[in-house]
Amino acid sequence: MNKKFQNQFSGLAFLVFGLVTIFWLVPASIQTQRTAEIGPRFWPLFVAWLIVVLSVALIALEGRDKGASQEEKTKKGFAVLNKEHYRVKPYIVKPLAFPLLGGVYVFCIEKLGFIVATVFALPVFLVYFGSRSYKANLAIGVVGTLLIYFVFTRFLNVRLPSGILPPIF
Amino acid sequence: MTEFYSAFTGFLDPLVPLSTVLGVILGIIGGALPGISPSMTIALLLPVSLYMPTMPALCMLLGAYEGAMFGGSVSAILINTPGTASSAATTFDGYPMAQSGKAGKALRVALYSSCTGGACAVVILIFSATLLAKFALKFGPPEYFALMLLALTLVAGVAGKSLIKGLLVAGLGLILACIGMDPVFGTARFTFDMMNLFDGFALLPVFIGLFALSEILIQLCKTSSSLDEKPPRLVSTDNRFPLREYIRQLPNIIKSGILGCLVGALPGLGGSTAAFIAYGESQRRSKYPEKYGTGIVDGVASAEAANNGVCGGALIPMLTLGIPGDVVTAILVGAFIAHGLKPGPLLFTERIENVYLIYIGMLFAILALSVVGTFGIPLFSRVVSIRKSKLFPVIFIICIVGTYAYHGNLFDCYVMLGFGILGFLLRLYKYPLSPLVIAYILGPEIEANLRVSLRLFDYNAMAFFTRPLTGGLLILTIALTIFLIRRNYTGKQSEDTVDGDA
């Protein structure tokens, strides 16, 4: 994405975050202290207003499309986001989907235990990262899981969730 | 003197030197692996350190810091891919040396320059820290507020290419730091009655998510075939770095080490800036500047001495003022706090033996680096051949287990995943991460100092300017902001100062 569009888009996201903080998050989650001149809401509101001002400045100053090319149509000197800019780029789908996979893995740790969840998850992650050798993936899955389990439970005395299996070491 | 003997006796406990050596080894491995930065290495070691006694844990992390700064040069020299941002300048001469069959020599130059530069910086740290800490004892809440504001502005301004973007992520860090209890009234903020949020987000999931997971996600932007590629290794025929040549390089190395230390002491600049400045300075003063970039020893020596010099320099504001200047020291502050030590001037009055032990540990780490590096270069050179497709999934599992180990709580793992996405998106949109993490650490202190100061001044904000030091620092902050904004919009900023080595 063009730098100008990046700044406009991210500036807009910060602006929304700042406004949501001021008008919803702070009133909904922080009680006022009537006796105090400076209560618990002061600092978050101060910072949120700062974010609003800075994000407007980012959009205005760094979202400007001074050297716009013919293809990047502009309006009053500002870069204009069109459908193409909103389209999710394929190269960020894979990284953004990975934490979701990670979330499922964490959920499985809770239900099945570390060993069972990791023996299945690690080869999946290896394939996700492009490792093509399936035998190696399975071997790393089993050996890696047991090694990590052994190091953390034996040397560091961490109790990892055992889930459906009894603790083996 | 009694405290020094007590510290030295503490160091003789075998666990301390052993953990320092372990830290150095893991640091070199972490630094040598492309894509694993010093901050990621230390963030991954942090959960392990929490299960160790205080001093061995801290010495391990400091050893890892020194090791990782050198480790970056291994991949920079062997495969022309800096393992850390700090080693980018090393590629200029290191890789051409390796191409001409001198990979072993280049690695030895990098090793001994790193050790000498690092040692210079530790000596400066030892002599300056106590003086600065004594001065800092006179600071009250207004001075601390002004100093932290200055540090944060500096980090926000120089960590990326845009001051506004730096300040925006710093603001985000300050808001995130508000989650939990209000420091004055104890009122819950942004918790929405969730018990897990009453203490705010723990530091460890934040660090691991922002630095380790976000890097894994950045790597995932590459194609599967490039992740599964085995990096080619070069054959070395010349592995010697004779003492005579080392002595000839010594003035260049010492100068670069001192420069690195000074740059490291300034918040936000980091190892890559130090290495580029030292490289440029060495070239400027050289009798044969035209040979720089063709594969000469001087270039590797200056860059490597400077980036290890940063380690000692960055500890000066961290230990004396409690202000982390870069990402690694921010994580170290987290480690100190987790072990019950609060960096700042009081550390020098109440726990001076721990400070001495840190000095001894740093010097021992440099000694260990020279020994481990000398014998381990062939082994560490093999590390760069590990395929990313095999490495990163295993690191992801370690991220999850390390995060879980902190509190034995899977909620932290979800927090880590969330911060990973946040870190990835910010990096994708070219926002520096260091202002966010430093603001997250300093946030509660800045807020508490501001509120106490305002109460002291009877809620008159202009009274800040009636105290000479506070007023001076605030005026400096304003002047710095104007300077950085002008620099942003006159296009004079260097392209190299990107996210100070996150």
Side-chain angles (χ1 to χ4, degrees):
Chain A
M1 197 191 275
N2 179 310
K3 189 185 161 197
K4 308 281 186 295
F5 293 115
Q6 274 186 352
N7 290 338
Q8 247 193 25
F9 198 73
S10 58
L12 210 62
F14 270 105
L15 180 64
V16 171
F17 171 74
L19 292 173
V20 167
T21 306
I22 293 164
F23 294 107
W24 180 64
L25 283 174
V26 170
S29 72
I30 307 176
Q31 287 182 341
T32 46
Q33 289 283 338
R34 291 180 196 287
T35 52
E37 296 248 4
I38 294 181
R41 285 184 177 186
F42 165 74
W43 180 247
L45 281 176
F46 177 78
V47 178
W49 275 113
L50 198 72
I51 288 176
V52 169
V53 172
L54 286 167
S55 54
V56 170
L58 182 75
I59 296 166
L61 297 171
E62 296 189 20
R64 266 192 187 281
D65 203 9
K66 286 175 198 162
S69 61
Q70 204 54 25
E71 302 88 71
E72 292 163 354
K73 302 280 184 195
T74 61
K75 196 176 176 183
K76 290 179 186 172
F78 285 88
V80 176
L81 294 170
N82 57 34
K83 262 185 186 173
E84 180 56 33
H85 295 108
Y86 286 112
R87 192 169 295 153
V88 179
K89 302 286 179 290
Y91 68 87
I92 66 162
V93 173
K94 207 173 165 188
L96 282 178
F98 186 69
L100 298 177
L101 206 61
V104 174
Y105 165 61
V106 174
F107 181 77
C108 290
I109 292 180
E110 198 175 3
K111 300 292 170 202
L112 305 174
F114 174 77
I115 292 183
V116 177
T118 311
V119 162
F120 285 106
L122 191 48
V124 174
F125 294 151
L126 284 159
V127 172
Y128 200 85
F129 273 81
S131 176
R132 296 277 166 259
S133 163
Y134 291 100
K135 279 183 190 168
N137 292 351
L138 282 176
I140 294 171
V142 175
V143 176
T145 302
L146 293 177
L147 201 67
I148 293 170
Y149 184 85
F150 186 76
V151 168
F152 275 86
T153 52
R154 198 65 178 248
F155 290 115
L156 302 172
N157 290 323
V158 177
R159 285 175 63 90
L160 293 171
S162 52
I164 53 174
L165 291 180
I168 58 170
F169 289 112
Chain B
M1 216 50 190
T2 323
E3 289 90 352
F4 180 78
Y5 286 124
S6 149
F8 193 73
T9 316
F11 185 76
L12 294 179
D13 172 4
L15 196 59
V16 181
L18 272 177
S19 51
T20 312
V21 174
L22 181 72
V24 168
I25 294 171
L26 295 174
I28 299 175
I29 294 172
L33 291 166
I36 302 201
S37 56
S39 46
M40 184 171 172
T41 309
I42 292 171
L44 289 173
L45 284 177
L46 192 54
V48 176
S49 78
L50 297 176
Y51 289 87
M52 295 166 75
T54 305
M55 289 326 290
L58 296 181
C59 287
M60 181 181 76
L61 295 176
L62 292 169
Y65 188 13
E66 291 280 358
M69 292 303 257
F70 159 69
S73 68
V74 178
S75 52
I77 289 167
L78 293 179
I79 56 169
N80 201 22
T81 308
T84 64
S86 319
S87 305
T90 310
T91 56
F92 298 162
D93 283 290
Y95 188 62
M97 277 180 83
Q99 280 178 312
S100 56
K102 293 178 185 170
K105 180 175 183 169
L107 286 170
R108 280 189 160 68
V109 172
L111 173 66
Y112 300 126
S113 307
S114 294
C115 293
T116 315
C120 291
V122 176
V123 171
I124 296 174
L125 165 73
I126 292 169
F127 284 104
S128 61
T130 314
L131 290 174
L132 192 58
K134 266 186 194 160
F135 179 64
L137 276 174
K138 294 173 187 156
F139 290 6
E143 283 78 17
Y144 265 113
F145 167 71
L147 192 66
M148 287 174 182
L149 202 64
L150 175 64
L152 205 55
T153 310
L154 198 57
V155 172
V158 298
K161 290 177 186 172
S162 154
L163 173 70
I164 297 178
K165 282 182 158 187
L167 289 174
L168 271 171
V169 281
L172 182 62
L174 292 173
I175 290 278
L176 289 170
C178 289
I179 297 171
M181 294 295 191
D182 170 73
V184 178
F185 294 104
T187 313
R189 296 194 296 195
F190 303 125
T191 58
F192 295 97
D193 295 328
M194 287 170 72
M195 284 301 287
N196 283 316
L197 289 180
F198 272 76
D199 287 330
F201 294 127
L203 288 176
L204 193 118
V206 175
F207 291 152
I208 294 187
L210 283 177
F211 298 112
L213 184 57
S214 77
E215 181 58 44
I216 293 173
L217 300 182
I218 289 282
Q219 293 292 336
L220 266 174
C221 288
K222 295 176 184 168
T223 57
S224 299
S225 54
S226 72
L227 288 171
D228 204 31
E229 236 169 45
K230 193 172 183 178
R233 284 181 61 228
L234 297 164
V235 182
S236 178
T237 49
D238 182 4
N239 295 325
R240 292 174 306 111
F241 181 43
L243 184 65
R244 202 160 14 110
E245 207 171 348
Y246 171 75
I247 292 169
R248 206 170 55 231
Q249 286 295 328
L250 211 50
N252 175 29
I253 294 172
I254 292 174
K255 224 179 290 171
S256 303
I258 294 171
L259 202 62
C261 177
L262 297 177
V263 172
L266 294 172
L269 292 178
S272 60
T273 313
F276 279 107
I277 292 176
Y279 185 87
E281 188 59 20
S282 169
Q283 186 178 21
R284 200 173 65 83
R285 291 186 175 274
S286 172
K287 288 175 189 161
Y288 37 86
E290 72 287 351
K291 287 188 181 170
Y292 276 70
T294 59
I296 59 166
V297 170
D298 309 49
V300 177
S302 57
E304 279 302 306
N307 76 33
N308 267 67
V310 167
C311 301
L315 287 184
I316 298 174
M318 189 207 99
L319 284 176
T320 57
L321 305 169
I323 296 176
D326 62 9
V327 172
V328 179
T329 45
I331 300 173
L332 285 174
V333 167
F336 272 66
I337 292 169
H339 281 280
L341 292 174
K342 192 170 183 292
L346 289 179
L347 191 66
F348 285 75
T349 51
E350 291 168 3
R351 310 285 286 270
I352 187 70
E353 67 280 2
N354 287 337
V355 177
Y356 288 143
L357 197 48
I358 289 166
Y359 294 160
I360 298 170
M362 288 283 284
L363 288 171
F364 182 75
I366 289 163
L367 185 72
L369 177 61
S370 64
V371 177
V372 170
T374 303
F375 295 105
I377 279 177
L379 188 71
F380 297 127
S381 303
R382 289 180 183 278
V383 167
V384 298
S385 310
I386 297 176
R387 288 184 172 96
K388 287 179 179 175
S389 61
K390 306 268 188 301
L391 178 71
F392 283 107
V394 176
I395 289 180
F396 177 69
I397 302 289
I398 295 174
C399 290
I400 295 281
V401 179
T403 306
Y404 174 81
Y406 189 41
H407 280 150
N409 182 354
L410 285 169
F411 175 78
D412 284 345
C413 298
Y414 293 113
V415 171
M416 188 272 285
L417 292 171
F419 273 92
I421 298 172
L422 177 68
F424 169 71
L425 289 175
L426 289 173
R427 289 175 71 174
L428 198 70
Y429 283 85
K430 305 279 185 285
Y431 283 82
L433 293 182
S434 43
L436 192 154
V437 75
I438 291 172
Y440 188 73
I441 289 191
L442 292 181
E445 295 278 327
I446 296 180
E447 182 186 359
N449 281 312
L450 173 67
R451 286 166 70 175
V452 170
S453 305
L454 284 172
R455 198 179 297 165
L456 267 174
F457 297 142
D458 208 15
Y459 303 104
N460 175 15
M462 291 314 286
F464 275 104
F465 292 93
T466 58
R467 290 168 80 113
L469 188 60
T470 314
L473 288 168
L474 288 175
I475 289 168
L476 193 62
T477 308
I478 295 165
L480 183 75
T481 309
I482 294 168
F483 167 75
L484 289 169
I485 289 173
R486 275 177 62 92
R487 193 180 63 158
N488 277 177
Y489 297 104
T490 51
K492 284 180 184 171
Q493 193 182 12
S494 155
E495 292 288 308
D496 304 318
T497 51
V498 183
D499 203 10
D501 311 80

